[in-house]
Amino acid sequence: MSRLGTLGARLHRGEVGYDFITKRKIWYSVSILITITAFVGLVVRGLNLSIDFQGGAVFTTPKTSVSVSQAEHSAERASGKDAIVQKLGTGGLRIQVSGVDTAKSDQIKDQLSKDLNLKSDAINADLVGPSWGETIANKAWTGLGVFMVLVVIYLAIAFEWRMAVAALVALIHDITITTGVYALVGFEVSPGTIIGLLTILGYSLYDTVVVFDSLKESSKDILKQNRWTYSEIANRSINGTLVRSINTTVVALLPVAGLLFIGGGFLGAGMLNDISLSLFVGLAAGAYSSIFIATPLVTDLKEREQPLKALKRRVLAKRASAAAKGESLPESESAAESAADDDEPEDATPAVVGQRVQPTSRNRGRGRPSGKRR
């Protein structure tokens, strides 16, 4: 077995582990800081909406030796507006100018053909209306709202309402961070970006549900034992699924990183950045929120209940009593084993330790010293 597999098995058995729950205030602070940074980026810089949302013209050129800066300067001089130029993998250029009509588009095309030393027929010009992008955005927001409602209803039925609330907070956390990154780095927000945002919700929810399912099973009979608090069982659930979450996240991030850094960066296919950046940031944020946000938040909500508060007092009192007597409680036992031990009646006969002596049968060898049959 590999080292990672061995570590995963030891985490699952509770032999090793990291205390995520106790340090949840640190994770909350980090998340709040990142979220505030994302909001500042959205307010100060705003989103760089693509031409699909603003309307305008898109010019595509064949392979040319003209640099991106030269083409950008030429398009801005011809249109009088800001232009976005991307280098394509074929060696050509993709030039976007927002807010222009058909007549203005023809003027820009003629000017580009002169400045770039290309024939006018070689430059492909497409006009895009803003209504199409607005329709896509409105449908995306509608789909997002329906998805959120269905997720909350499902988790409330399958688990409980506290887990549904925690999962909803984690999803909002992931979307906010992803859109904030787009504002900070200045990448275009296109319909592909919206598709990426809707896609990451499923990945983010997957990791969260895996941890919640483990937590639900581990805490099924939690009130029947006096050795573990809800926080400790939640922490064991995170550690038990930690390696699985890391493996699934890394495997999902590798192809997305290829699209973002190789396809969009190295090969110059800038349109791949629209969807790959949202997937990359969203997957990483989803893995983070399922471990550091969703489960600690469930713990905070659950431990407000009176039965769990009483359980925590009993556990701490039992440990204090054991410490006063110089006894130590085994830390390697699972919560299920501890619950089974505490379910036994107090007057139960203690288990026999050491070699057992079988009782002698009453009729065995009666009247015959050797016990043999005649």
Side-chain angles (χ1 to χ4, degrees), residues 67-139:
S67 65
V68 171
S69 59
Q70 291 175 339
E72 183 177 347
H73 176 71
S74 175
E76 290 178 349
R77 185 179 60 180
S79 62
K81 298 182 178 181
D82 293 336
I84 299 175
V85 181
Q86 296 174 331
K87 190 77 173 180
L88 302 178
T90 59
L93 298 174
R94 185 173 186 264
I95 305 169
Q96 302 180 31
V97 182
S98 60
V100 296
D101 54 14
T102 303
K104 191 66 174 180
S105 173
D106 294 337
Q107 296 178 6
I108 298 173
K109 182 179 179 180
D110 294 337
Q111 186 65 42
L112 288 175
S113 65
K114 296 178 182 178
D115 295 340
L116 305 182
N117 294 322
L118 296 171
K119 294 182 179 180
S120 180
D121 296 339
I123 300 176
N124 183 32
D126 295 319
L127 287 175
V128 179
S131 59
W132 183 80
E134 291 179 0
T135 302
I136 295 295
N138 292 333
K139 290 184 177 180

Side-chain angles (χ1 to χ4, degrees), residues 159 205-215 237 241 244-245:
F159 298 97
L205 195 62
Y206 170 78
D207 282 338
T208 303
V209 169
V210 168
V211 180
F212 283 177
D213 185 65
S214 175
L215 178 57
S237 298
T241 58
R244 182 191 304 177
S245 297

Side-chain angles (χ1 to χ4, degrees), residues 306-320:
Q306 291 300 325
L308 291 178
K309 286 183 178 180
L311 171 65
K312 187 174 183 179
R313 289 193 295 267
R314 294 198 305 268
V315 171
L316 296 180
K318 183 176 181 179
R319 291 177 183 174

Side-chain angles (χ1 to χ4, degrees), residues 254-366:
L254 287 177
V256 176
L259 288 175
L260 178 61
F261 299 108
I262 298 177
F266 182 74
L267 297 179
M271 289 179 289
L272 292 177
N273 292 334
D274 300 345
I275 188 171
S276 59
L277 180 62
S278 61
L279 290 175
F280 187 84
V281 177
L283 287 173
Y288 171 85
S289 63
S290 64
I291 297 172
F292 298 98
I293 301 299
T295 309
L297 185 56
V298 169
T299 303
D300 282 333
L301 294 175
K302 287 288 291 183
E303 290 196 332
R304 295 174 182 269
E305 300 176 0
Q306 291 300 325
L308 291 178
K309 286 183 178 180
L311 171 65
K312 187 174 183 179
R313 289 193 295 267
R314 294 198 305 268
V315 171
L316 296 180
K318 183 176 181 179
R319 291 177 183 174
S321 176
K325 296 178 182 179
E327 300 174 356
S328 60
L329 295 176
E331 295 294 334
S332 61
E333 293 184 13
S334 65
E337 293 171 347
S338 301
D341 293 340
D342 288 326
D343 284 342
E344 297 179 357
E346 296 180 357
D347 57 348
T349 304
V352 177
V353 180
Q355 184 177 1
R356 288 190 65 179
V357 179
Q358 296 292 339
T360 304
S361 176
R362 295 180 179 179
N363 298 324
R364 183 179 178 183
R366 178 177 294 179

Side-chain angles (χ1 to χ4, degrees), residues 34-195:
I34 296 175
T35 305
I36 291 175
T37 304
F39 271 118
V40 171
L42 288 171
V43 172
V44 176
R45 301 195 59 176
L47 293 174
N48 181 19
L49 298 177
S50 70
I51 197 172
D52 300 300
F53 297 102
Q54 302 182 37
V58 179
F59 305 93
T60 306
T61 71
K63 185 177 182 180
T64 178
S65 59
V66 177
S67 65
V68 171
S69 59
Q70 291 175 339
E72 183 177 347
H73 176 71
S74 175
E76 290 178 349
R77 185 179 60 180
S79 62
K81 298 182 178 181
D82 293 336
I84 299 175
V85 181
Q86 296 174 331
K87 190 77 173 180
L88 302 178
T90 59
L93 298 174
R94 185 173 186 264
I95 305 169
Q96 302 180 31
V97 182
S98 60
V100 296
D101 54 14
T102 303
K104 191 66 174 180
S105 173
D106 294 337
Q107 296 178 6
I108 298 173
K109 182 179 179 180
D110 294 337
Q111 186 65 42
L112 288 175
S113 65
K114 296 178 182 178
D115 295 340
L116 305 182
N117 294 322
L118 296 171
K119 294 182 179 180
S120 180
D121 296 339
I123 300 176
N124 183 32
D126 295 319
L127 287 175
V128 179
S131 59
W132 183 80
E134 291 179 0
T135 302
I136 295 295
N138 292 333
K139 290 184 177 180
W141 283 115
T142 303
L144 178 61
V146 173
F147 175 82
M148 292 290 192
V149 172
L150 293 178
V151 164
V152 171
I153 294 174
Y154 170 76
L155 292 180
I157 296 174
F159 298 97
E160 59 174 300
W161 69 266
R162 296 168 187 82
M163 292 185 177
V165 171
L168 181 62
V169 172
L171 289 176
I172 296 174
H173 167 271
D174 299 340
I175 295 176
T176 303
I177 290 178
T178 305
T179 54
V181 169
Y182 266 87
L184 292 173
V185 301
F187 275 28
E188 270 193 341
V189 176
S190 67
T193 304
I194 296 177
I195 294 173

